[in-house]
Amino acid sequence: MNYTIEKIDENNHSLFDDMVFWRENGYEREPSQEPVSEQIKKELLNPDLYVYAVKVDGRYVGWISCVYIAKVGKWKGHGHIYVDELWVEPSFRGNGFAKALLKKADELKDKFNATGIRLYVNVNNPVAQNLYETCGYVEDGRAIFMEK
């Protein structure tokens, strides 16, 4: 299957928004070409956020969002790339898209000379755990996810 990986920018916000709609609602809508909300635009233009999407047949079918977080102390000024979200539309899974998106995290690690890449995976999602393990990620302790 032919595909490309594109960085999300102001030129493709609407196409990205169509994919988010697909994920949230479980079905594709007609391409909207409507401008995304100012809040979403502001988030997508955040200079610390890196979002890449897989494009197949003129539409996005998956994405990864990463953030570089600077570190001090024992890390000696070399931060980490954090994978915040990784999603591929279920009917497109098994085509290597998730691995291709995770390579973007590797590229960011190299770009920033970061110490490593970190992510969280739900313990109830063994498929994702297996994906990350096949891409070289290893469990490094247990954490409790907390939010306020």
Side-chain angles (χ1 to χ4, degrees):
M1 182 175 301
N2 292 328
Y3 70 94
T4 57
I5 306 280
E6 297 182 354
K7 186 173 188 319
I8 301 303
D9 62 26
E10 60 276 352
N11 297 313
N12 53 22
H13 284 173
S14 291
L15 197 57
F16 182 78
D17 194 49
D18 290 338
M19 178 180 49
V20 172
F21 178 91
W22 191 1
R23 180 182 185 185
E24 291 176 348
N25 296 283
Y27 64 93
E28 269 185 284
R29 68 181 180 194
E30 290 295 317
S32 66
Q33 296 301 318
E34 294 292 320
V36 297
S37 73
E38 288 304 312
Q39 182 59 37
I40 297 297
K41 192 180 301 183
K42 179 181 170 188
E43 292 292 309
L44 287 171
L45 293 175
N46 182 317
D48 297 320
L49 178 66
Y50 299 85
V51 181
Y52 299 91
V54 178
K55 191 174 191 179
V56 175
D57 296 329
R59 68 200 195 277
Y60 291 144
V61 300
W63 85 82
I64 189 169
S65 60
C66 302
V67 177
Y68 173 75
I69 298 181
K71 293 283 199 171
V72 295
K74 78 176 192 173
W75 304 108
K76 299 182 177 28
H78 297 280
H80 281 85
I81 300 298
Y82 282 82
V83 175
D84 181 54
E85 285 188 275
L86 174 64
W87 177 80
V88 175
E89 198 325 285
S91 64
F92 285 87
R93 293 178 184 168
N95 289 299
F97 298 153
K99 288 180 180 179
L101 289 166
L102 283 167
K103 286 182 182 180
K104 289 301 188 182
D106 290 329
E107 291 173 14
L108 288 171
K109 177 186 170 287
D110 293 342
K111 174 183 174 179
F112 287 102
N113 193 24
T115 298
I117 303 169
R118 292 181 171 174
L119 55 80
Y120 296 97
V121 61
N122 190 307
V123 296
N124 297 318
N125 191 345
V127 173
Q129 291 174 35
N130 185 57
L131 165 71
Y132 297 134
E133 288 169 0
T134 63
C135 291
Y137 291 81
V138 295
E139 184 177 326
D140 188 17
R142 294 284 172 147
I144 297 172
F145 180 70
M146 299 176 77
E147 202 169 47
K148 183 176 181 182

